[in-house]
Amino acid sequence: MTRRYCFGKPIDTEAVLNKPECSPREEFPVKRENGRFFFPLTEEDIVYGLGENVRGINKRGWIYESMCADDGVHGEDKVSLYGAHNFFLISGERHLGVFWDTPGKVTFDVGYTRYDLLEVRLEELDVDCYLIEGDSPDAVVEEFRGLIGRSYIPPLWAFGYGQSRWSYMTSEEVREVARKHREHRIPLDSIYLDIDYMERYKDFTVDGERFGDFEELVREMDEEHIHLVPIIDAGVKIEEGYEVYEEGKEKGYFCKDEQGEDFVVGVWPGKCHFPDMLDEEAGAWFGNQYQKLLDMGIDGFWNDMNEPAIFYSEKHMKEVFDRIGEFRTKNLDVNSYFEFTGMVAGIANNQEDYKSFYHNYQGRRIRHDQVHNIFGYYMTRRASEAFDRLRPDQRVLLYSRSSYVGMHRYGGIWQGDNLGWWSHLALNIKMMPSLNMCGFLYTGADIGGFGSNTTEDLMIRWLSFAIFTPLMRNHSAMGTRKQEVYQFERQEAMGNIIKIRYQLLPYLYSEFMKAALGNRMMFRPLGFLYGKDSLARRVEDQLMVGESIMIAPVYEQNALGRTVYIPERMKLLRFHQGEPSFGQMYEKGYHYVEMPLGDVCIFLRENYILPLSRGGEHVEAVDWQDLTLYSFGEQVKPYGYYSDDGVSKDYDLEKNVLLLAV
Ligand code: MIG
């Protein structure tokens, strides 16, 4: 049951497709006071949700803020990451989902100030609030997802393994990455192009020297069944003669400052303008630019820097330089020294800058800070809408760094600039169900960690988990240790793990599609399925993946195994050197399970089927018919196996599901 409560005059984000009528505000079931709402929490309540964020599956005990931010250190002390996903689910004796639809800032004090209270704070009381009650967490999520519409579905090849680096600098380097993977028999379906493929970081250009043979490269890679996936940044470089800049300027498609001048920000290319992604005409124009790359044979993109990240604004920089002059002659003491360093550190992503430019949205001029959280959403939406016009019958891979609920219809997300830290592997695990609740199914994190040097064992453990995530990409930052699998001594172990991904593909794709088409989650906390089991409800580091299996990844260095909570009778399917075989049967309860580095452990539910293929070196090489069905039990249920051509948009649960029985 959904009720919608309308406060003030919220800006329509178009997150919700099917809006029920507004209910009388007096009936809002919890205490409220100006822009503050107080939800009581009982001792046993768990608070799920909030999408892309720090901390646990259970969000209780911390404060979170919806304010999309480009932040390279996802520490426990952070309160927001790149997305704004204002949905939470209080689950205890009752199950209540709450969605706050506003493109501005929202604060969620989830039992931080008072353990028995979840307080939601809004800066302006302009919001549509949806309260969804259901008999189970799954029921609530399904209803919420029904409101916000079907999740994005990528092409099948995008479920293969992807290799990325900031940056492969030349065509030759890209060829080498492809060659090395094939040589070492490490499966691969995509190679990513980071900002250096562009000519001086100009969107929709390709550097003529380093990538002079770009189209030939795309063709060659295509023959190898490898897709090239270029990055697109939110800022358009100011450069005379650069077509995108010239046209955007002439037609007035860039965000304007207070005076109506094109707002100048510094990002990668130096000085830039932001296209007004929110404006329908400007957005459509920006979306159309992707055609330049589509026409060169590209069929996948990642949208970056769209929180939007701002290194500096011309306006604020001027103020800083003026102030810096004053510091030059000063005897910097404890106060002025920190004022000085704070001022310099505060140049990037400065909140004042977000109050200094404007959008044209739904026929109104709106200051950026009021719609901040939907900028990345609209950038990605505009690209997706353009693909619908330009390639109506073909799926295009698209994912974004910044997002808001609603964007899940247009693209996936990657989880941003994590680090080569064990705790960030744990974060990756915990984020999956929270994101799924909000509709983001096509997602994953940078395997091995983006910033800081990874370690070989972390790579192995991370891969062992990431073979389950729909987006499976190894990506790392400039200046860090090289992270392609073949750079490591134990590359064979890593290759074997990636091969398991391809054995799992029929199951993973099937479960992904059923989740997308049925408004369900692919990754669920144990509490969703075993809600009556008070121990299962508290498990933070195991996940149900689809209907048949549970995973319990190792995310601690030097661990040789771990304690696993088994919520019902399950059988261990252990992959050793890439080969699966049944191991022990476990009864409900805690068990220590040995998981040496390189082994992948899957826990299969009694009476459920896990289909495995024989794998392949790329997605097209996988035989989707030649399956081995793993199961145990007396009454094995037939498995609803979804498959389709992976390219067209002919999604149909009825037509494409085959029942597999043992
Ligand atoms: O400020 O394009 O999250 O994946 O490699 C860094 C360079 C800009 C941030 C992205 C990362 C990408 C990097 N970008």
Side-chain angles (χ1 to χ4, degrees), residues 153-156 394-397 509 644-649 651:
I153 296 171
L156 184 55
Q394 186 201 331
R395 303 183 210 173
V396 177
L397 172 62
Y509 184 65
D644 60 19
D645 66 12
V647 181
S648 72
K649 297 179 179 174
Y651 319 118

Side-chain angles (χ1 to χ4, degrees), residues 458-472:
L458 179 58
M459 274 304 293
I460 294 177
R461 291 301 190 190
W462 210 314
L463 283 166
S464 304
F465 166 66
I467 54 172
F468 298 97
T469 64
L471 167 61
M472 182 189 179

Side-chain angles (χ1 to χ4, degrees), residues 368-647:
H368 175 81
D369 59 317
Q370 291 167 2
V371 284
H372 176 75
N373 288 337
I374 59 172
F375 185 85
Y377 156 23
Y378 271 83
M379 175 186 183
T380 302
R381 176 171 175 168
R382 297 314 184 195
S384 163
E385 287 167 344
F387 301 155
D388 283 344
R389 293 190 297 271
L390 301 166
R391 298 281 186 278
D393 304 317
Q394 186 201 331
R395 303 183 210 173
V396 177
L397 172 62
L398 178 63
Y399 59 88
S400 173
R401 195 169 70 177
S402 186
S403 61
Y404 181 86
V405 171
M407 200 207 84
H408 71 287
R409 301 194 297 268
Y410 305 98
I413 63 166
W414 90 98
Q415 294 162 14
D417 295 346
N418 57 5
L419 294 163
W421 290 358
W422 292 86
S423 61
H424 281 180
L425 167 54
L427 190 59
N428 185 188
I429 297 164
K430 292 169 206 278
M431 237 190 260
M432 295 304 292
S434 314
L435 283 169
N436 276 197
M437 281 172 222
C438 299
F440 294 95
L441 298 180
Y442 189 75
T443 180
D446 292 350
I447 297 167
F450 171 73
S452 79
N453 292 330
T454 196
T455 60
E456 192 160 39
D457 53 354
L458 179 58
M459 274 304 293
I460 294 177
R461 291 301 190 190
W462 210 314
L463 283 166
S464 304
F465 166 66
I467 54 172
F468 298 97
T469 64
L471 167 61
M472 182 189 179
R473 180 181 77 147
N474 176 345
H475 180 47
S476 54
M478 192 167 274
T480 61
R481 173 183 190 173
K482 293 212 169 125
Q483 215 167 276
E484 296 81 14
V485 163
Y486 52 77
Q487 310 283 1
F488 296 92
E489 200 191 321
R490 277 175 283 187
Q491 53 172 277
E492 201 182 315
M494 296 183 196
N496 283 337
I497 296 166
I498 298 170
K499 285 176 189 150
I500 301 170
R501 162 68 160 212
Y502 288 74
Q503 298 175 48
L504 283 166
L505 268 181
Y507 176 72
L508 294 176
Y509 184 65
S510 175
E511 292 303 312
F512 178 94
M513 291 302 287
K514 287 188 286 182
L517 299 174
N519 291 331
R520 298 208 306 265
M521 291 158 68
M522 180 175 169
F523 291 83
R524 286 184 297 169
L526 270 55
F528 272 51
L529 201 61
Y530 310 100
K532 298 240 153 33
D533 177 344
S534 58
L535 295 177
R537 289 180 76 236
R538 296 289 162 180
V539 174
E540 282 275 333
D541 57 358
Q542 302 173 202
L543 296 170
M544 307 306 298
V545 183
E547 64 173 51
S548 304
I549 64 173
M550 180 183 81
I551 57 171
V554 172
Y555 54 92
E556 263 173 308
Q557 190 156 32
N558 298 316
L560 298 175
R562 55 164 286 178
T563 301
V564 179
Y565 182 71
I566 303 286
E568 62 171 316
R569 179 182 291 168
M570 287 179 173
K571 204 166 192 174
L572 173 62
L573 186 65
R574 181 187 295 276
F575 291 78
H576 180 66
Q577 294 173 350
E579 293 302 322
S581 61
F582 264 135
Q584 202 178 322
M585 176 131 84
Y586 291 97
E587 299 297 335
K588 183 177 156 111
Y590 287 104
H591 300 271
Y592 182 82
V593 182
E594 280 172 30
M595 301 182 187
L597 209 54
D599 278 15
V600 171
C601 292
I602 289 177
F603 299 87
L604 180 62
R605 296 174 68 194
E606 185 177 23
N607 293 325
Y608 283 82
I609 291 176
L610 174 67
L612 288 183
S613 82
R614 297 189 186 280
E617 272 182 34
H618 49 82
V619 167
E620 269 179 79
V622 173
D623 185 339
W624 295 72
Q625 259 69 57
D626 187 8
L627 304 175
T628 308
L629 307 183
Y630 286 83
S631 68
F632 76 102
E634 298 294 302
Q635 291 158 316
V636 178
K637 296 188 207 8
Y639 177 69
Y641 177 42
Y642 180 101
S643 65
D644 60 19
D645 66 12
V647 181

Side-chain angles (χ1 to χ4, degrees), residues 166 194-195 231 268 302 304-305 311 401 414 416-417 446 450 473 475:
W166 172 23
D194 209 320
I195 45 177
I231 194 170
W268 280 115
W302 46 312
D304 191 19
M305 306 295 275
F311 290 175
R401 195 169 70 177
W414 90 98
D417 295 346
D446 292 350
F450 171 73
R473 180 181 77 147
H475 180 47

